Amino acid sequence: MKHLLKMLDLSKEEITDILNLADQLKYEREHGIAHPILQGKSLGMIFQKASTRTRVSFETGMYQLGGNPLFLSSNDLQIGRGEPVQDTARVLSRYLDGIMIRTFAQQEVEDLAKYGSIPIINGLTDFCHPCQVLADLMTIREVKGSFEGLKMCYIGDGNNMANSLIVGGLKVGMEVSIACPSNYQPDSVVIDFAKQNGKFTMTESVLEAASGADVLFTDVWASMGQEDEANERKLVFAGYQINDDVMAAANSGAMVQHCLPAHRGEEITEKVFEAHADEIFREAENRLHAQKAVMVKVMGE
Ligand code: CP
Ligand code: NVA
């Protein structure tokens, strides 16, 4: 695997390989077994948006793998003053062994991969969040044992999380349903993929989508970069919430997942969030193990 740019690029086998390695790295960490697989290597981490989980999981993960993580805020890089990504890619390729980037446009990530000569990892764009979804799939498999016969449901904005969950869920063989307002649907490329790859339904009805679900996902109503739409979105998304009614429509024992940060009282109630906190924070922990597996796959082999 050369890069991790989006879930659409990964085969089912590549996803399974990453999840298996993530499980192994988690086991080793829990048993005090060191794994300095990336000793002597450096990862640049470019952030054009805020982050808690992605920054800390990559930074500490790289350290645990024996490598050197460099936090590169776009405020301090020349890229933030307009230096073209094509030039940044060619310069950083001469210093580093890999780049993780969190930014707005997916094209910027694709261009880094095109013009650079080192592995590029997408740490979230407006289009997708593959690192998060690999941790989500790891968590589902860990809790449920396998993906066999499971239905995943996503409620809310057809955003970066929706785009990646739909593709990831279908690729590992889950049924996927999504409930979103008609003007806030996932990317058309993702919908086209979904229509041709497995069992996929999209509706405006939250309860219809949640019916018979084994894993329920949601995400914030306004993503990073959409702050000025937040008030309008509160009106549009009212009702697109994981609450007791949604849990009653889902299968008994259904998991709840949230990439975090969560807005209690908006996309999820406090009660449901706290009832499923163990699963949600297990998901957050698995960012560390899944991100380490991704780094080993692209930089260590
Ligand atoms: N879920 C996630 O990516 O969190 P951060 O924005 O804190 O990195
Ligand atoms: N959809 C959210 C995810 C944050 C991890 C955002 O892009 O802000």
Side-chain angles (χ1 to χ4, degrees), residues 1 4 18 121 134 290-299:
M1 202 173 117
L4 175 61
I18 293 168
I121 301 170
L134 288 167
Q291 267 58 129
K292 285 168 72 178
V294 169
M295 288 191 279
V296 170
K297 284 286 170 197
V298 298
M299 293 165 64

Side-chain angles (χ1 to χ4, degrees), residues 76-288:
D76 304 326
L77 288 175
Q78 297 288 9
I79 207 170
R81 296 178 56 246
E83 182 168 16
V85 70
Q86 299 94 305
D87 296 356
T88 306
R90 285 177 284 187
V91 171
L92 293 183
S93 292
R94 286 166 159 82
Y95 303 140
L96 301 168
D97 301 286
I99 296 173
M100 194 285 307
I101 177 165
R102 165 168 288 197
T103 188
F104 295 86
Q106 178 70 17
Q107 192 57 48
E108 196 172 334
V109 178
E110 306 275 345
D111 283 348
L112 269 183
K114 181 173 168 195
Y115 292 99
S117 54
I118 55 174
I120 306 299
I121 301 170
N122 183 341
L124 179 146
T125 60
D126 293 343
F127 175 66
C128 65
H129 198 0
C131 288
Q132 176 70 50
V133 167
L134 288 167
D136 298 346
L137 296 176
M138 177 184 176
T139 312
I140 294 168
R141 197 174 74 161
E142 200 173 67
V143 172
K144 295 285 188 188
S146 89
F147 300 116
E148 189 75 35
L150 295 185
K151 175 177 172 177
M152 169 200 282
C153 167
Y154 174 91
I155 292 169
D157 190 17
N159 61 13
N160 42 15
M161 278 304 300
N163 288 335
S164 294
L165 281 169
I166 292 168
V167 176
L170 290 172
K171 283 200 176 190
V172 298
M174 283 188 278
E175 176 183 347
V176 177
S177 67
I178 160 158
C180 59
S182 58
N183 290 333
Y184 295 82
Q185 292 179 352
D187 194 277
S188 58
V189 170
V190 169
I191 294 177
D192 288 348
F193 170 87
K195 283 181 179 160
Q196 292 163 33
N197 289 277
K199 202 164 174 203
F200 172 71
T201 50
M202 188 164 64
T203 168
E204 288 182 54
S205 163
V206 169
L207 293 182
E208 191 184 315
S211 172
D214 302 289
V215 191
L216 293 152
F217 279 89
T218 188
D219 189 15
V220 291
W221 292 343
S223 285
M224 289 181 278
Q226 298 172 334
E227 288 77 8
D228 55 355
E229 297 173 27
N231 286 339
E232 178 192 335
R233 284 171 168 267
K234 275 185 187 161
L235 299 176
V236 174
F237 284 98
Y240 284 86
Q241 181 188 63
I242 301 188
N243 52 32
D244 286 346
D245 293 343
V246 168
M247 294 311 297
N251 278 345
S252 67
M255 285 172 73
V256 175
Q257 296 278 269
H258 194 308
C259 64
L260 303 174
H263 290 193
R264 293 164 170 79
E266 293 189 7
E267 76 275 4
I268 189 165
T269 60
E270 168 88 22
K271 185 176 164 207
V272 172
F273 185 95
E274 290 303 336
H276 292 271
D278 283 352
E279 292 157 5
I280 293 169
F281 291 104
R282 179 191 285 253
E283 175 190 12
E285 176 188 334
N286 283 342
R287 290 295 304 275
L288 172 66

